[in-house]
Amino acid sequence: QETNSEYFLSPSEGQLKEAALTRSEEDLTKLADSIDIYTKGDRTYISSSLPAIKDNKVIPAGPAVKEYIDNTVIGDVTLPELLTTALSELCKAKPAGLDAVRWLGEWLLENNPNQPHVEEP
């Protein structure tokens, strides 16, 4: 049985400008000619040989998402541990509506273990 796959590469206007390309038919043909599909491990990627055209970020899916999240270390804690603490603090503060989103964002910024902490005298 044959399987169909869809791949996409969406360079930004800045990347096109950096590659000296416009949206003209001639330049888009150059871009299309620079495209290659390759496999690394069990994943398939699309890439351009033009240095200014960046590869798409890999978005994990399925079991890879859980593995990625569980293995992401931030400072000396894992991402789930940090988020559990943040959400516990959010529940204690009990902001409502969009204030809850704002509060959580501010808490994450203030408690980011990857940022240096400077104590003021």
Side-chain angles (χ1 to χ4, degrees):
Q1 180 177 350
E2 198 174 309
T3 60
N4 293 324
S5 297
E6 183 176 327
Y7 304 98
F8 68 94
L9 183 68
S10 53
S12 68
E13 291 299 323
Q15 290 174 2
L16 290 174
K17 185 177 180 179
E18 189 177 334
L21 298 174
T22 65
R23 297 232 176 237
S24 71
E25 186 175 337
E26 181 182 344
D27 283 352
L28 292 176
T29 300
K30 287 179 193 175
L31 177 61
D33 290 343
S34 77
I35 301 295
D36 190 26
I37 296 175
Y38 65 96
T39 302
K40 185 176 178 183
D42 62 345
R43 299 197 68 148
T44 303
Y45 301 91
I46 186 170
S47 181
S48 170
S49 60
L50 299 172
I53 307 299
K54 307 289 186 262
D55 292 343
N56 287 328
K57 292 184 177 180
V58 176
I59 300 172
V65 173
K66 181 170 177 17
E67 181 180 344
Y68 175 79
I69 291 172
D70 289 345
N71 293 323
T72 299
V73 177
I74 303 170
D76 59 350
V77 297
T78 64
L79 181 58
E81 292 168 336
L82 178 67
L83 292 176
T84 298
T85 302
L87 293 172
S88 294
E89 294 299 318
L90 176 67
C91 289
K92 292 176 190 175
K94 298 182 181 176
L98 289 177
D99 288 338
V101 176
R102 187 176 296 108
W103 187 96
L104 182 60
E106 289 172 358
W107 189 94
L108 288 168
L109 288 172
E110 291 169 8
N111 295 279
N112 181 348
N114 289 336
Q115 295 297 319
H117 292 279
V118 178
E119 292 188 30
E120 296 181 25

